[in-house]
Amino acid sequence: MTRYFQKEVPVNLFSPLALGDLQLPNRLVMAPLTRIRSGQSGVPGELVALHYTQRATLGLIVSEGTYPSHAGQGFPGQPGLVEPEQLAGWQAVTDSVHAAGGRIVAQVMHAGRVTHEATNGGYPVVAPSAIAITGSTRTYDGKQDFPVPHALTIDELPGIIAEFVRGAKNAIAAGFDGVEVHGANGYLLHEFLSPTSNVRDDAFGGSPENRARFVIDVVTAVAAVIGAGKVGLRISPEHNIQDALETDADDVAATYGALLGGIAPLGLAYLSVLHADPAGEFVQHLRARFGGNLLVNSGFGVITSRDEALALVRDDVADAVVVGRAAIANPDLLRRWQEDLPVNEPNPLTYYADGARGYTDYPALAS
């Protein structure tokens, strides 16, 4: 009897990938990118829909951070997942992306102390501890110093978890294919992880295990409601941004080890890690501890290049690569990188502006 063996096809950046319930045609993921084009109402409009739809050939689009409650809004012009009008706006976005053959998940983000009452409509600014960020923030009333936040009590924490759950449910109702829980970049969940922003002395502060507990509780609750196969988590250990500092390597390893040990049994769609050294021992240990799909983003310092992205997948550093600025400037980034064609350079002056300039007017290559 003759036996035929199928030759194993090498995995590369352009290979398909299953992320939980999501089936990706390639491993190039659009990063969650704050673009503040949704006005004071937080309703994404036609311009937002066009922006995302232009990039639908990417394997997965992760939306900009969307607030699950008014208190969680961090920026003027940020879109929300709260009001019916916001959900209707997002439904138009997701319908358009799907019609173009794309997949899109909502990044659910509570800003925590990285906001101001003049931005979030007068709601109390909350955090794990009553410690303000040094510096100022842009509000609807101009630049203002960050306020000292209200330290959430244990009795208030279930309400915050409920906000994340409602945000996730609303995202699915608005047509998103899943959600990414935002546990990075100094916002509320990251504030619980960092020993400089979390100085609590209860079950949610102090030890690495305690500081990881609230993030585990949030992710567990979201997964229970919409299904773990539709949930990813984004983290940024050692990123040291917005005063959520993590400078003790042993503490960082213990904190994120506890976090991933707590969520690994859930069977999430993916873990997305923003870190300057994704191939290093630390991130690869987190990958092993998680036991599932790893998406990596090599950080804000240098724009991710085609060669770097190709190598990260080819060398099995990650299952997929998350890119930001290259996706901003190239709506047809997949084609440009597949065919090794020239790319547009992004214009930083338009990242946080209004209107189409630097948002939907980057040219695609002619067919």
Side-chain angles (χ1 to χ4, degrees):
M1 182 176 67
T2 303
R3 294 187 178 182
Y4 296 93
F5 295 93
Q6 186 175 6
K7 187 176 181 179
E8 185 175 346
V9 178
V11 170
N12 62 50
L13 186 64
F14 310 113
S15 303
L17 174 65
L19 290 183
D21 294 350
L22 305 174
Q23 301 296 320
L24 277 54
N26 59 76
R27 296 164 186 249
L28 193 51
V29 176
M30 178 174 167
L33 299 159
T34 299
R35 303 307 303 277
I36 57 174
R37 257 74 168 191
S38 294
Q40 195 158 355
S41 67
V43 176
E46 292 181 2
L47 195 67
V48 175
L50 176 59
H51 169 72
Y52 286 118
T53 303
Q54 288 174 333
R55 291 152 179 80
T57 56
L58 297 174
L60 179 66
I61 294 169
V62 183
S63 83
E64 59 210 283
T66 56
Y67 54 86
S69 63
H70 288 296
Q73 181 179 357
F75 319 110
Q78 183 184 8
L81 282 166
V82 182
E83 303 296 339
E85 296 81 7
Q86 294 169 344
L87 303 188
W90 278 122
Q91 185 73 66
V93 173
T94 59
D95 285 348
S96 182
V97 169
H98 291 151
R103 295 136 301 279
I104 182 169
V105 299
Q107 188 187 63
V108 181
M109 170 198 142
H110 192 302
R113 65 179 182 166
V114 191
T115 190
H116 193 281
E117 292 89 343
T119 295
N120 71 10
Y123 287 84
V125 174
V126 300
S129 303
I131 303 171
I133 298 174
T134 302
S136 60
T137 181
R138 191 168 69 89
T139 79
Y140 289 111
D141 298 329
K143 282 224 170 184
Q144 302 199 44
D145 289 343
F146 283 108
V148 176
H150 163 69
L152 290 161
T153 67
I154 280 188
D155 291 342
E156 291 170 325
L157 295 183
I160 301 295
I161 295 173
E163 292 178 8
F164 275 93
V165 169
R166 283 194 300 271
K169 290 173 65 176
N170 285 345
I172 299 301
F176 283 99
D177 299 301
V179 303
E180 178 177 285
V181 177
H182 196 345
N185 295 356
Y187 300 112
L188 182 64
L189 297 188
H190 194 187
E191 291 164 14
F192 272 89
L193 296 170
S194 167
T196 63
S197 51
N198 180 353
V199 295
R200 303 171 70 97
D201 59 4
D202 58 17
F204 294 91
S207 69
E209 294 76 16
N210 282 0
R211 282 184 275 114
R213 179 170 287 121
F214 186 64
V215 184
I216 295 169
D217 288 351
V218 168
V219 174
T220 300
V222 169
V225 171
I226 69 168
K230 292 182 172 66
V231 179
L233 172 66
R234 184 163 173 88
I235 58 174
S236 60
E238 300 180 310
H239 192 39
N240 296 326
I241 190 171
Q242 301 188 135
D243 287 1
L245 306 181
E246 295 165 326
T247 57
D248 182 322
D250 291 339
D251 183 83
V252 173
T255 302
Y256 285 90
L259 170 60
L260 295 182
I263 64 171
L266 300 176
L268 300 182
Y270 66 84
L271 173 71
S272 182
V273 179
L274 172 66
H275 196 274
D277 185 17
E281 181 179 350
F282 172 64
V283 174
Q284 292 305 305
H285 175 73
L286 295 183
R287 182 188 196 184
R289 190 74 184 265
F290 178 63
N293 290 301
L294 175 69
L295 282 54
V296 297
N297 190 176
S298 57
F300 294 157
V302 179
I303 296 177
T304 302
S305 69
R306 176 182 184 270
D307 288 346
E308 179 188 4
L310 289 170
L312 287 169
V313 175
R314 181 194 65 224
D315 299 341
D316 194 29
V317 172
D319 298 288
V321 180
V322 183
V323 296
R325 285 163 289 185
I328 284 176
N330 297 276
D332 55 349
L333 182 65
L334 175 68
R335 179 191 170 194
R336 292 176 190 259
W337 278 7
Q338 273 187 309
E339 301 178 23
D340 197 11
L341 299 171
V343 295
N344 301 320
E345 294 300 319
N347 179 3
L349 298 178
T350 61
Y351 289 167
Y352 309 117
D354 295 320
R357 183 167 173 261
Y359 190 59
T360 57
D361 64 348
Y362 283 105
L365 293 167
S367 299

